[in-house]
Amino acid sequence: MADTNMKASLEEDTRFQAAKKELETLKIKVEKADDVKSRLIVEKLEEDEIKEKAKKDLLDLIKKQDNCKKEFNHSMNIMQDDIANLVRRKQDLLDKLRKCQAELEAKTVNSTKLKQKFKISAQIVDTEVKFVAEHEENNDEDSHLVRGVFDISQTPSVLLQGGQALITFEEEKVASQIMRIAMCSVSCEDMTVDVKPKRIIMDPVVKFEVHLDVFRKMLQVSNIPPSMPQERMKDRLEMSFSRPSRGGGEVESVTYDKKTGTGNITFLHAGVAEPLALRGKYQVNLDREVNVPVKPIYEHQLRKFQVRFSTEAGNCRLFSSPALFFSPNFFTKPTSNHTDLKQQ
């Protein structure tokens, strides 16, 4: 009986020890679980803070993105407005350019017409010159120039068309009397023609002076072949034009432009350039013998240019049918209050 009780007591102690050990184990696990729980709570709090911060940063970025988008749209609108303004400005400039080109073409055409209209071509007649005495040359600049002043005057002209006649009277009052007649009857062989007098507005005439200065010591050379360097070419030109056997003389200076193939020769004494210019050609020694054109150097100025618009008082223009010719005797009859004609 006692053994049974002892055995039962030992088993109960064993179960108690096992339960106690299990309780210790569970207690340790609970502590560990609490530690893990605390750590997880801390981590969760940290993650929540990070999440809140990330959320705040995201909101800031979204706000910044919206602001950038608004600024971009605003800048885009401004740029589009600027582009539209530039396009309009470009179109305005193109329109203005086309208008200026049209005006330039019109003015060019008008200028061409005026140049053609006022173009003067006159043959200068030969004039006998009487030698009086030799002029003593001075050392001033004028002694190296041949100066001339030419007065150019245009003779008034009238362009008559078919069926028109120009009558010029000796006295102005006669033309004035005829101008007061609305229609004149003129005898034309076996018929009578009614003609209408009209005062003439003469074409504009010009008058000006041409001042011409010819340099006696200078000569222009052209068509020089570019066969050597510039300085060497200048030396060759100076040597060639210094040869008295060819009509040259002592050279003071030489200028040469390789691009245009031209040069200017300045002699030390006046009177050398003129005979050479009259020849028109001169032989120079380059890498070979070359004949080059020579001509005088001169300056000209247009001065006192005047344009005159006038109405000739003693002239009248008569209009009649085309291809009809009438006798001017009608205008010389004293009974018609007219007088003698000056010219026709």
Side-chain angles (χ1 to χ4, degrees):
M1 184 73 176
D3 293 334
T4 303
N5 290 333
M6 185 177 286
K7 188 177 181 179
S9 177
L10 289 172
E11 289 177 357
E12 185 177 355
D13 289 337
T14 302
R15 287 196 298 273
F16 178 76
Q17 291 295 330
K20 186 177 178 180
K21 186 177 180 180
E22 185 178 358
L23 180 62
E24 291 292 335
T25 303
L26 291 175
K27 186 177 178 181
I28 292 171
K29 289 182 177 181
V30 169
E31 289 178 356
K32 290 182 178 181
D34 289 338
D35 293 338
V36 171
K37 180 180 178 181
S38 299
R39 184 169 53 81
L40 291 175
I41 290 173
V42 172
E43 291 179 356
K44 182 176 180 299
L45 292 175
E46 292 177 354
E47 292 295 333
D48 290 340
E49 290 180 359
I50 296 173
K51 183 179 178 180
E52 289 295 329
K53 184 179 180 181
K55 186 177 180 180
K56 184 179 179 181
D57 294 340
L58 179 62
L59 292 175
D60 293 338
L61 290 175
I62 292 174
K63 186 176 180 181
K64 187 176 181 180
Q65 182 182 8
D66 292 338
N67 293 332
C68 292
K69 188 175 181 180
K70 290 179 181 179
E71 292 178 358
F72 175 77
N73 292 332
H74 181 67
S75 301
M76 181 63 69
N77 293 332
I78 294 176
M79 187 175 295
Q80 289 177 352
D81 293 338
D82 292 340
I83 293 174
N85 292 331
L86 290 175
V87 170
R88 287 193 296 269
R89 178 64 176 169
K90 179 183 177 182
Q91 188 63 37
D92 293 339
L93 290 175
L94 289 175
D95 295 339
K96 188 176 180 181
L97 178 61
R98 284 191 288 268
K99 183 178 179 181
C100 291
Q101 287 177 345
E103 292 179 357
L104 178 61
E105 292 177 359
K107 290 183 178 180
T108 302
V109 172
N110 189 26
S111 176
T112 304
K113 291 181 179 179
L114 290 176
K115 286 181 180 179
Q116 190 65 27
K117 186 174 183 179
F118 292 110
K119 186 177 181 181
I120 298 175
S121 178
Q123 185 176 2
I124 300 177
V125 298
D126 294 336
T127 304
E128 294 184 0
V129 179
K130 183 179 180 181
F131 178 78
V132 178
E134 183 179 359
H135 179 68
E136 219 176 280
E137 291 188 359
N138 300 323
N139 293 326
D140 56 0
E141 183 182 358
D142 292 342
S143 63
H144 306 314
L145 297 175
V146 177
R147 289 185 170 174
V149 179
F150 303 90
D151 293 323
I152 309 297
S153 299
Q154 184 181 7
T155 303
S157 61
V158 178
L159 179 62
L160 295 179
Q161 300 177 358
Q164 297 181 358
L166 176 65
I167 309 295
T168 303
F169 297 93
E170 290 285 353
E171 299 180 0
E172 178 183 353
K173 63 180 181 179
V174 179
S176 300
Q177 292 174 2
I178 294 178
M179 293 303 302
R180 288 195 290 267
I181 303 174
M183 193 70 65
C184 300
S185 297
V186 181
S187 298
C188 299
E189 296 181 354
D190 57 348
M191 61 184 299
T192 302
V193 178
D194 292 333
V195 295
K196 181 181 180 181
K198 184 179 179 182
R199 186 171 296 276
I200 292 176
I201 299 177
M202 307 296 290
D203 291 336
V205 295
V206 296
K207 181 179 179 181
F208 56 89
E209 291 182 357
V210 177
H211 291 243
L212 182 65
D213 290 341
V214 182
F215 294 91
R216 299 179 60 197
K217 296 173 57 177
M218 299 181 68
L219 194 70
Q220 185 180 32
V221 188
S222 57
N223 295 341
I224 304 174
S227 56
M228 56 185 65
Q230 184 168 352
E231 293 300 325
R232 187 180 174 192
M233 179 66 74
K234 291 171 64 175
D235 293 338
R236 287 297 183 92
L237 291 174
E238 183 177 355
M239 292 172 58
S240 298
F241 281 94
S242 298
R243 300 178 66 174
S245 60
R246 295 183 180 178
E250 190 173 355
V251 176
E252 181 178 352
S253 63
V254 177
T255 61
Y256 169 66
D257 188 352
K258 190 174 183 179
K259 295 181 180 179
T260 59
T262 59
N264 293 338
I265 310 297
T266 303
F267 295 97
L268 185 63
H269 302 290
V272 180
E274 182 179 358
L276 298 181
L278 292 175
R279 294 184 191 176
K281 294 283 186 180
Y282 190 83
Q283 190 178 67
V284 295
N285 296 324
L286 303 179
D287 51 355
R288 52 187 174 84
E289 298 288 339
V290 180
N291 287 324
V292 293
V294 292
K295 63 180 181 179
I297 297 178
Y298 60 89
E299 293 179 352
H300 63 278
Q301 294 180 353
L302 181 66
R303 298 182 182 179
K304 298 182 181 180
F305 186 85
Q306 300 175 359
V307 180
R308 183 168 61 91
F309 297 85
S310 63
T311 301
E312 287 294 330
N315 292 334
C316 69
R317 183 183 297 182
L318 303 180
F319 293 84
S320 64
S321 300
L324 285 180
F325 300 92
F326 56 86
S327 172
N329 294 332
F330 172 80
F331 297 98
T332 61
K333 297 177 182 179
T335 55
S336 301
N337 294 326
H338 305 150
T339 187
D340 292 337
L341 297 176
K342 180 180 179 181
Q343 63 179 8
Q344 295 187 51

